Amino acid sequence: MSTARELVQALHDASAVGASLGIVVVDAAPGSVELRMPVGADMVNGLGVVHGGYLFLLADSAFGYCCASLERPSVTRTADIAFLAPGRAGSELVATAEARAEAARTTIVDVRVTQGDVLLAEFRGHGALVPR
C-alpha cells in the first residue's frame, strides 16, 4: 500500500501542467495537501495582478491531489472559488487543501490560496471518483 505522499507525488509527476508552472508538493498526508507555485510576470493580467485562472488552477490541482491522498482519485465535478485579494508577480502562491467529506462517489475538499500572510482565494471542490 502506498502512502498519501507517494500517491500525491505520483499524480504530480504525471502532470505536465504542474511541471510547466513550477508547482511543488510541499506536504501530503491523508486528507491534506500543500502546494507551492512561483508567480511569474507572465501570470499577471492587464490590471497588474495574478490572473484568477492561475489561482483556480493551483487550487484545483491541490483539490485533485487531496482526493488522491485519500486513495479516492477524482475529477472535479463542481467547484466554487471566491477571490478575496489580488496576487502579485515575483512571489509564491501556497495552496492548502483539506478534505471535508467523503460519501459514495463524492469527495468535498476546501482549499485556501495564500501569498505570504494574505488570503487570496477560497475554493471548494466536489469530486467524482474516477473508475479504476
Side-chain angles (χ1 to χ4, degrees), residues 30-101:
S32 67
V33 170
E34 181 179 314
L35 304 180
R36 293 182 183 265
M37 181 176 78
V39 180
D42 59 341
M43 297 175 163
V44 175
N45 65 22
L47 298 173
V49 299
V50 177
H51 189 287
Y54 288 105
L55 298 174
F56 188 94
L57 184 147
L58 180 63
D60 190 50
S61 296
F63 160 81
Y65 293 175
C66 189
C67 291
S69 78
L70 295 166
E71 298 186 57
R72 294 176 62 86
S74 301
V75 293
T76 307
R77 183 175 38 154
T78 64
D80 294 310
I81 193 165
F83 298 106
L84 304 168
R88 305 288 177 195
S91 63
E92 188 172 60
L93 300 178
V94 177
T96 306
E98 291 186 40
R100 296 296 180 207

Side-chain angles (χ1 to χ4, degrees), residues 76-126:
T76 307
R77 183 175 38 154
T78 64
D80 294 310
I81 193 165
F83 298 106
L84 304 168
R88 305 288 177 195
S91 63
E92 188 172 60
L93 300 178
V94 177
T96 306
E98 291 186 40
R100 296 296 180 207
E102 300 169 49
R105 296 196 60 217
T106 300
T107 306
I108 299 174
V109 175
D110 288 339
V111 182
R112 295 170 51 89
V113 179
T114 58
Q115 192 171 54
D117 293 334
V118 179
L119 177 61
L120 302 184
E122 288 202 352
F123 169 107
R124 173 164 275 189
H126 295 234

